[in-house]
Amino acid sequence: MDVASDASAPWLIVGLGNPGPEYAMNRHNVGFMVADLLAERIGGRFKRAGKAQAQVVEGRMGPPGPANRRVVLAKPMSYMNLSGGPVNALRDFYKVPVGNVVAVHDELDIDYGTLRLKLGGGDNGHNGLKSMTKAFGADYHRVRCGIGRPPGRMQVADFVLRDFSSAERKELDWFVDRAADAVECLVLEGLERAQSTYNS
């Protein structure tokens, strides 16, 4: 598996979503929300990444000294189902091992407000993951942010492209904050510690 052999290799943390204000509060855009909060925490602002179809923030995560990690936060601007191309371009540019890529995304099969972290696996029908896996393989980390299943007979595509409900929005800040904490824990302390702390 292509995992970094030393602490100097950067981490590429990818928030998945769709660009544009009309999608900003969609369930499908929870990855963008987490990326925005992480950028705020490291004191950076997203900017266009050269030729890559993405916005990035470069910085460091963790306390000052040898324990901190170089990170690149990214939001692909290609729409969800084409995320793999921009992410792979960034991975090549920053020389990020596949095992140091983290996808933060919405997950239908987990209850709203629940987090699960894992390394590798299938895409479970998620078009952003499908595109990333096609571009560079499946051996990257995932921070899966539960949004639950659509009610009644609502189509999945309609559900994920709708804004969080008013009831869900009451918990959304807490949920996004906890997901950002989980990403930091994964990068700084490893998958097992992050899973034991945040998998619920």
Side-chain angles (χ1 to χ4, degrees):
M1 193 179 294
D2 183 16
V3 177
S5 57
D6 64 78
S8 66
W11 285 76
L12 176 59
I13 299 160
V14 181
L16 290 176
N18 287 308
E22 67 271 33
Y23 298 106
M25 291 303 294
N26 286 182
R27 293 181 178 92
H28 223 17
N29 271 43
V30 69
F32 272 19
M33 298 174 198
V34 176
D36 285 337
L37 179 57
L38 287 168
E40 196 177 302
R41 289 183 180 185
I42 67 172
R45 287 189 172 192
F46 278 99
K47 62 180 189 297
R48 201 78 183 189
K51 293 180 180 178
Q53 222 179 340
Q55 291 183 352
V56 299
V57 173
E58 296 177 54
R60 301 197 75 89
M61 193 174 275
N68 75 11
R69 296 288 178 265
R70 185 175 160 224
V71 296
V72 180
L73 307 176
K75 297 192 296 186
M77 294 285 117
S78 57
Y79 292 97
M80 184 70 83
N81 61 348
L82 298 173
S83 299
V87 175
N88 204 32
L90 292 173
R91 198 180 71 77
D92 286 345
F93 180 79
Y94 289 104
K95 298 178 170 54
V96 179
V98 173
N100 275 23
V101 176
V102 183
V104 186
H105 64 92
D106 57 303
E107 179 64 64
L108 286 160
D109 287 336
I110 303 174
D111 290 341
Y112 176 70
T114 299
L115 293 173
R116 298 273 164 76
L117 290 84
K118 70 174 186 174
L119 174 62
D123 57 59
N124 203 23
H126 192 289
N127 288 331
L129 298 182
K130 192 176 296 183
S131 180
M132 286 177 62
T133 297
K134 186 177 179 182
F136 52 84
D139 294 332
Y140 53 91
H141 289 86
R142 298 101 190 274
V143 176
R144 306 158 72 203
C145 304
I147 61 169
R149 302 292 305 183
R153 297 184 178 183
M154 185 186 291
Q155 294 295 311
V156 165
D158 293 334
F159 179 69
V160 299
L161 292 175
R162 287 202 179 169
D163 289 358
F164 285 102
S165 69
S166 55
E168 288 168 337
R169 282 200 294 273
K170 291 175 182 174
E171 304 291 331
L172 186 58
D173 285 349
W174 171 85
F175 186 26
V176 169
D177 194 64
R178 185 170 167 80
D181 290 346
V183 172
E184 291 182 344
C185 185
L186 169 62
V187 170
L188 297 172
E189 301 182 59
L191 180 61
E192 285 187 23
R193 172 61 67 88
Q195 286 175 325
S196 66
T197 306
Y198 294 98
N199 279 15
S200 47

